[in-house]
Every structure is written in structure tokens, then in C-alpha cells.
Amino acid sequence: MTWPKNTDTLGRMEGSMMELNEEHEAQEGRKEDRFRRLHPDWIAASRLGSAYFYAIPLLIALALTVLGAVFDWTWLPLWIGGLVTLGFALLFAFAVFRVPVILYRRFGFAVFEEEIEIRKGLFIITETLIPMTKVQHVELEHGPILRKYGLAELKIVTAATTHSIAGLKAEEAEQLKSSIGELARRTEE
């Protein structure tokens, strides 16, 4: 037994669903347009920092595995040392080559007259609104790796926490620091 189909109703439902989908995509596009990106050099700086950080446990695991094989240590079987080294090698590759690209694509910030919006995340994306009235002060940091690429990290300090925007060109970070400081002073008055 077949059920009669009302094609007119189905057609209208499909049409309205397509309109809702197009409207949602347009809103997402506008949402993406308001966010500013980090400088592309941040990817290279982040890769370098991650390589320094993750190379240490990888080299320790590799050294212990080699020493265990050479000196025939019974407390460290070769297969366990090999698995641990392989695990650190995979972590190193992911952290150095994939994570900076993912973070770069997902990070964005926007500065408005009354608030600052920051979007960030690797697996879980968070969007944070910082009211200008809550900004206590703004800091600028230039670490050795960021300096190598001419970048800086802007830190926005509130009573609750510190929010950071790392990966701005030094000149842009200085201008942003001044403008956020000025907007914060203006909203207090």
C-alpha cells in the first residue's frame, strides 16, 4: 500500500529549508568578515616554538630506547621504548605541522568601541566578549621567537583573567594597544 504524497507541501518545505540554509550561510559569512586574522608569519613562529617544546621529550624517549638496546636494560624492553618513541614522534609531527595551521585558521579577533571579541580553539572553539569597561590595562610582549619574525603578543588584562592575541606584526600590535587603551579610558568616563 502506498501513501499519497502531497508534492505541493513537500516542495514548499524544501524551498523554505533552502532559504533558511542560505540565510544561515550568509550570516556565517558576515560573522567571519568581522574578525581580523593573525599575521601569516605566526604559523612559522608557532611551528618553531612547538618544535623546541616537543623535541625534548622525543629526544629523551629516543635516547632511552637506544641506551636500553645498547646496554640491554631489562627494565626497558625495546618494544616499549620503540612505541613510546613512535608516540612522541607522532605527537611532534601533529603539534609542529598541523596544530599551528588549525589554530591560525580558527583564531580571529575584532575590536569594537564597547567590546573586544576573540575567537580561538583547536578542537573546541570559544568566542569571548571582553567589555571595554572591564579592561584594566593592555600589555605588549616580544618573546625571542616572535621577535625573530617581527611579531608581538598583545595581552588584554581584566580583573578575572588575561586574554592574549599572539601573532600580530609589532607595529600593528602597538597601534592596537594604543587604540584599546584609549577606548577603555573613553568608556570609563
Side-chain angles (χ1 to χ4, degrees), residues 38 51 113 125 143 156 160 177:
L38 301 175
E113 197 166 309
I125 299 173
I156 303 159
K177 176 186 156 199

Side-chain angles (χ1 to χ4, degrees), residues 4 14 23-24 26 32 63 67-68 80 93 110-111 133 135 142-143 158 164 180:
E14 286 176 358
E23 182 179 318
H24 177 70
E32 291 296 317
L67 288 173
I80 291 178
V111 178
T133 56
V135 174
H142 304 272
T158 64
S164 65
I180 290 172

Side-chain angles (χ1 to χ4, degrees), residues 12-61:
R12 277 185 281 158
M13 285 177 61
E14 286 176 358
S16 62
M17 288 300 288
M18 287 175 54
E19 288 173 9
L20 283 173
N21 199 14
E22 289 172 3
E23 182 179 318
H24 177 70
E25 288 174 3
Q27 286 176 349
E28 285 296 314
R30 284 194 301 271
K31 194 175 188 179
E32 291 296 317
D33 289 344
R34 76 169 183 246
F35 286 113
R36 292 169 56 183
R37 294 247 174 185
L38 301 175
H39 194 275
D41 285 347
W42 180 83
I43 295 173
S46 180
R47 282 182 173 162
L48 185 60
S50 295
Y52 285 140
F53 183 79
Y54 287 101
I56 294 168
L58 175 61
L59 292 175
I60 290 171

